[in-house]
Amino acid sequence: MARLPSVLGTDDLPLAELCAARIDGEVVPIDDGWAPVDEPDLPGLRAAAVALRAPRVLVIERLSAAWVHGALPAPPSIAQFCVPRTARVAVFSAPRLVVREVVIAGADIIDYPSARCTSPGRTGFDLLREAAATDADPEPVVVELCRMHPGLASELRTRLIDAVRMPHRSLALDRLGRVENELAAQPSLTRYTS
């Protein structure tokens, strides 16, 4: 007997069955999918939920990756993905997602069973450099990432200092300075994630 995936979509079961299972208390909605009520809420589960929107060749990034890593309480309404510049991907378009082409190292990608996601370090790096966002958008998310992953703030500082010819470097360093000040001002309990 085949086992159903941890996150179910309409490709796995008809929408009517998923809704009935939800009413019966067997599944709960998670992003664009449904998960059994007893399934642990881990990054792999959240990554699988976001991945229902796009093919596996795409990598979950920025705010969507922050949600996967637990730094946001809910997924963003527009899922954010990237594709490595070296990948041979045709033009991809779908509702409620954004895809951008990036230069990314293999070490910056975490492979979950049904999805790929940027690492916490790469996620923070990308969020700090996001020129289109106001400072109020990425900074609290990066603060939460840094609280969840001790040493991440210093990793981000080193990475930004080493990236000499990078767009929006000074913006990212300014934001990181405010993130570090926030972390120093409000020490919090350590949260553990898997």
Side-chain angles (χ1 to χ4, degrees):
M1 178 183 211
R3 185 183 190 297
L4 289 172
S6 300
V7 177
L8 302 169
T10 54
D11 289 343
D12 303 305
L13 293 172
L15 182 59
E17 282 188 46
L18 290 167
C19 290
R22 181 176 150 203
I23 291 169
D24 291 343
E26 295 171 0
V27 297
V28 293
I30 179 169
D31 198 31
D32 278 5
W34 292 266
V37 294
D38 60 349
E39 191 71 36
D41 184 19
L42 298 173
L45 179 77
R46 291 188 295 271
V50 176
L52 289 174
R53 299 187 195 190
R56 183 168 168 75
V57 70
L58 300 182
V59 179
I60 302 164
E61 68 156 359
R62 294 180 292 166
L63 290 175
S64 293
W67 177 68
V68 167
H69 296 305
L72 284 174
S77 59
I78 306 293
Q80 296 173 318
F81 291 88
C82 66
V83 62
R85 189 161 283 162
T86 57
R88 299 181 63 75
V89 177
V91 175
F92 185 80
S93 175
R96 299 185 45 229
L97 67 89
V98 175
V99 180
R100 67 184 185 136
E101 187 178 66
V102 298
V103 174
I104 188 167
D108 286 335
I109 299 173
I110 297 173
D111 277 307
Y112 293 109
S114 59
R116 299 185 319 152
C117 182
T118 56
S119 67
R122 178 60 190 241
T123 301
F125 180 74
D126 287 340
L127 288 171
L128 290 171
R129 294 181 323 131
E130 185 69 41
T134 65
D135 292 340
D137 293 336
E139 289 176 16
V141 178
V142 177
V143 166
E144 188 59 27
L145 276 173
C146 290
R147 284 188 177 136
M148 297 171 71
H149 302 277
L152 181 58
S154 62
E155 176 189 328
L156 290 170
R157 179 156 298 282
T158 301
R159 187 173 191 159
L160 289 168
I161 288 170
D162 291 347
V164 178
R165 301 172 81 192
M166 179 187 74
H168 312 295
R169 180 175 177 254
S170 62
L171 171 68
L173 284 167
D174 289 345
R175 286 176 173 167
L176 181 58
R178 290 189 293 273
V179 164
E180 290 168 331
N181 289 340
E182 177 72 21
L183 290 168
Q186 295 183 357
S188 66
L189 298 174
T190 304
R191 262 174 68 176
Y192 295 99
T193 60
S194 300

